[in-house]
Structures are given as C-alpha cells and as structure tokens.
C-alpha cells in the first residue's frame, strides 16, 4: 500500500537534470512524496544554457494528466514551463475537473537565466482570468515585476503569492509570502553559510513547497519547509548542478 501522497510535476524535460521534471522528481523523492510527471516540452540544455525547445501538443499533455489523475489519488500538482496562458488554463481545468480540491502550484518561468524565452508574453493579458484558479504562484523578483507591471498579480484571498528572493539586489534570499492580503517575510535560515548559484533552484523550491502541501501542511509552513530544503540544496556544492539529500 502506497503511504506517500502522490504529486504530479507538469513541466519541461531538461536533459541536464538540474531543472524541470527530473529536478522536480528528485525533490519529491527527498521530500517523501511519490512523484509523477507529465512533460510539457522537450528542451536541449545544460546547466548554463538553453539551446532549443519543442512544445508537446496540448491535447497530449492533458490526456496524460487525465490518465494519472484517474489512476492515482493525487494531492498536489506543480506546474513549470507552459507555452502560453491557454496552455496553463487547460492544464488547470483538466486537474480541477478530476478533483477540485487538489493544490496547484505554478512556478511562472517566463525565461531562463540565460535569457531563453519560454512563455509567450503576448498572452500575458489572458492570465488575468487564470491565476486565481491556482493555490500558489512562485515568481522570482524579475517575474514578479513583469506580473505586477501588467496587473496580473493574484487576489491573495484566492491564490497565495510567494515572491522568491534569490534575484533581489537588497536582502538577498529573503522571500515574501502574501496570503489573504497579509505579508509574511521569510528570512534566510542561515546567514553565515555560503550559498552557490544553482541551475533549477526555482524549480526545486516550488517542488519542495508542493510536496509539503501534499503532506497536509498549511501554506506558511509549506513555504518555510520549502525554504529549508532549497537552502540545503544551494550549499550542497559549488557547481551549477546541486545535489539532493
């Protein structure tokens, strides 16, 4: 009998294993949940650059999600790179049509650190009617700025917002959780240890939080536990590819 909660990652395939599906499933395993996966795109990338991307047809993605949801009692879903607002909306509809109570976390990856564009920014206005269907979005500071400039931040009475602090110029590593219009500042847990930049760190953090939500933790506790996980990951070694332990 499977005792671990089931979690689906709906994201891209990164052959380096640092981001996307492989990274998410490594995080799920260490977080003691059972990771399932649906691929949204095939990428050719390393830890330092993204060379190409091929989107999978939306109908194939939603069919795979449907099969998994019908086969396993999924508690939470993490969404990574998606092509555009319609792609995201159809994924959410498919998930919620099977179980309206499933927690859904979207890490809004608009472009890679190496400036490779993922999300079709022309469809940004269509996100207005989509984001409040989610449980949590986890933009970094750059992505948060884009969403804010386009008035696309969620109603935090409906969807929580975690602004990741890894790209901050001030107070590096300080995250801000906004839930029910209340701001909760999440300071780094260790100030005297050395952290190293990591490919896919945003994927790891959002996956760790999703795993905690699947285990029944409330939003604040899930984000705090996810922060502990990512900090351990960031100091795992000095290369761009971190290790999970």
């Amino acid at each position: 009998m499977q005792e671990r909660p089931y979690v689906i990652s709906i994201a891209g395939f990164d052959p380096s294993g640092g981001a996307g599906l492989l990274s998410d499933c490594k995080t799920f395993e260490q977080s003691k949940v059972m990771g399932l996966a649906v691929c949204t795109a095939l990428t050719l990338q390393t830890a330092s650059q993204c060379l190409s991307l091929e989107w999978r047809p939306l109908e194939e993605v939603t069919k795979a999600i449907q099969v998994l949801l019908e086969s396993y009692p999924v508690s939470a879903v993490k969404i990574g790179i998606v092509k555009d607002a319609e792609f995201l909306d159809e994924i959410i509809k498919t998930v919620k049509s099977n179980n309206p109570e499933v927690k859904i976390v979207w890490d809004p990856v608009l472009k890679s650190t190496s400036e490779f564009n993922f999300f079709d920014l022309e469809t940004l206005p269509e996100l207005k009617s989509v984001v409040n269907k989610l449980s949590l979005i986890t933009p970094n500071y750059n992505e948060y700025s884009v969403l804010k400039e386009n008035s696309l931040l969620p109603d935090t009475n409906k969807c929580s917002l975690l602004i990741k602090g890894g790209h901050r110029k001030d107070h590096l590593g300080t995250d801000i959780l906004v839930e029910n219009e209340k701001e909760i500042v999440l300071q780094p847990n260790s100030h005297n240890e050395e952290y190293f930049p990591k490919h896919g760190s945003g994927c790891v953090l959002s996956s760790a939080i999703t795993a905690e939500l699947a285990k029944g933790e409330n939003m604040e506790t899930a984000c705090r536990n996810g922060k502990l996980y990512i900090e351990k990951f960031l100091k795992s070694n000095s290369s761009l590819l971190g290790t999970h332990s």
Side-chain angles (χ1 to χ4, degrees):
M1 183 73 137
Q2 175 55 246
E3 295 181 356
R4 293 187 173 195
Y6 287 90
V7 181
I8 304 178
S9 168
I10 304 169
F13 175 75
D14 167 12
S16 80
L21 295 176
L22 291 177
S23 176
D24 291 349
C25 286
K26 292 175 188 177
T27 305
F28 292 155
E29 185 73 17
Q30 289 297 330
S31 300
K32 295 182 170 48
V33 298
M34 179 61 71
L36 310 173
V38 174
C39 183
T40 58
L42 298 173
T43 74
L44 177 57
Q45 61 181 306
T46 65
S48 59
Q49 60 180 330
C50 186
L51 302 170
S52 67
L53 177 147
E54 178 185 347
W55 292 107
R56 291 192 65 220
L58 177 57
E59 59 271 21
E60 291 184 13
V61 173
T62 54
K63 181 179 179 181
I65 296 168
Q66 185 78 30
V67 168
L68 291 180
L69 289 171
E70 290 174 353
S71 303
Y72 304 99
V74 174
S75 300
V77 170
K78 178 265 172 110
I79 303 173
I81 60 168
V82 290
K83 184 178 181 180
D84 51 33
E86 179 192 7
F87 210 99
L88 176 63
D89 195 28
E90 288 302 316
I91 288 173
I92 296 169
K93 286 178 182 176
T94 303
V95 171
K96 285 189 171 289
S97 67
N98 283 268
N99 184 350
E101 302 305 314
V102 170
K103 302 290 185 182
I104 306 177
V105 176
W106 180 40
D107 189 28
V109 184
L110 305 182
K111 62 172 63 176
S112 70
T113 304
S114 58
E115 296 299 305
F116 190 97
N117 286 318
F118 292 124
F119 191 87
D120 182 355
L121 296 179
E122 291 186 3
T123 72
L124 273 177
E126 298 169 35
L127 281 177
K128 190 70 176 175
S129 62
V130 178
V131 290
N132 288 325
K133 299 177 183 179
L134 298 158
S135 305
L136 172 71
I137 63 171
T138 60
N140 62 34
Y141 253 65
N142 298 332
E143 293 155 351
Y144 166 75
S145 297
V146 172
L147 296 175
K148 185 177 181 180
E149 287 168 8
N150 289 274
S151 301
L152 296 173
L153 295 177
D155 174 352
T156 59
N157 288 306
K158 297 177 180 177
C159 170
S160 300
L161 168 69
L162 180 71
I163 309 163
K164 298 180 293 194
H167 290 75
R168 292 183 66 154
K169 292 182 171 61
D170 63 336
H171 306 295
L172 183 67
T174 296
D175 304 334
I176 298 174
L177 172 64
V178 189
E179 183 181 20
N180 297 323
E181 300 182 356
K182 175 187 174 184
E183 286 193 5
I184 302 168
V185 178
L186 306 178
Q187 301 280 3
N189 292 287
S190 178
H191 296 277
N192 299 318
E193 297 189 50
E194 188 172 9
Y195 297 99
F196 304 96
K198 290 285 179 285
H199 173 53
S201 56
C203 298
V204 172
L205 176 56
S206 59
S207 295
I209 293 169
T210 306
E212 294 299 317
L213 291 173
K215 292 187 291 187
E217 299 291 358
N218 64 40
M219 189 63 69
E220 181 179 347
T221 301
C223 289
R224 290 189 183 279
N225 290 347
K227 192 168 183 63
L228 288 170
Y229 189 101
I230 190 62
E231 289 179 352
K232 189 174 182 180
F233 179 75
L234 290 172
K235 58 189 178 186
S236 62
N237 61 58
S238 60
S239 77
L240 285 173
L241 289 176
T243 52
H244 300 255
S245 61

